[in-house]
Amino acid sequence: NQPSREIMKKLTIMRGVPGSGKSFKAQAMGGLVLSTDDFFMTDGVYRFNGKDLPKAHAWNQIRAHTAMENNVPHVIIDNTCCQAWEAREYCLAAKVNGYDVEFVCADSPWAQDALECASRNQHGVPLASVVAMLSRFETNQLTVEACLAAKAPWEK
């Protein structure tokens, strides 16, 4: 009788503003990459509509929940996750489904350079938006507990 080996299941939550290199890094990790940006892709063309952003995030969270319920070994969330509350639903799904969680920040040399990120991002996110995201980026090390306890601005 061989002892049963439990499969290690990992959720990686990428963090970084658009253009910081997080998507490139996420793709190189070799897991199932799930991005809210995928919601806005139609026939290979990115068509962002800000009105649909809440729906897009909910859609991506459902995809992540489903992947973890199906025991996908490595799920990677490729979103900005500038603040703890933005990772809350992903951390909840990980906890319920027995996943280890790691938080990975974009570490390109320009990851904190708003002008460079604005010029590099592939979805046309304007400089003012990148600056705003960087200004609210929580630089402390996130934990699952902090994310689960965090509240969105409209919940406070």
Side-chain angles (χ1 to χ4, degrees):
N1 253 356
Q2 295 232 350
S4 66
R5 282 203 239 167
E6 194 168 321
I7 296 172
M8 292 297 298
K9 299 182 295 185
K10 180 167 68 170
L11 171 67
T12 300
I13 298 177
M14 300 302 299
R15 302 186 65 221
V17 300
S20 63
K22 75 183 166 323
S23 295
F24 180 81
K25 190 170 185 171
Q27 291 296 332
M29 290 181 174
L32 173 64
V33 179
L34 301 175
S35 173
T36 298
D37 283 338
D38 297 341
F39 182 87
F40 299 104
M41 294 299 290
T42 306
D43 298 325
V45 179
Y46 185 74
R47 293 187 172 98
F48 179 76
N49 181 341
K51 290 187 317 196
D52 290 335
L53 200 52
K55 188 188 317 179
H57 280 295
W59 173 82
N60 203 54
Q61 290 162 359
I62 290 167
R63 293 196 310 161
H65 275 270
T66 301
M68 287 185 254
E69 286 169 0
N70 290 322
N71 295 310
V72 172
H74 189 191
V75 178
I76 302 164
I77 303 303
D78 180 21
N79 288 347
T80 58
C81 292
C82 294
Q83 297 175 291
W85 70 267
E86 295 172 297
R88 181 176 57 200
E89 291 301 318
Y90 300 112
C91 288
L92 180 60
K95 184 175 181 179
V96 167
N97 292 289
Y99 277 68
D100 291 328
V101 179
E102 72 173 343
F103 297 91
V104 176
C105 287
D107 58 1
S108 64
W110 61 87
Q112 300 297 313
D113 181 334
L115 192 58
E116 187 68 19
C117 288
S119 71
R120 285 178 177 262
N121 84 76
Q122 298 187 353
H123 299 308
V125 178
L127 176 61
S129 297
V130 173
V131 168
M133 285 182 215
L134 279 171
S135 74
R136 61 181 180 263
F137 193 89
E138 294 175 355
T139 55
N140 57 321
Q141 294 291 350
L142 291 189
T143 64
V144 171
E145 294 74 24
C147 292
L148 291 174
K151 301 246 186 263
W154 58 87
E155 296 173 324
K156 295 181 180 177

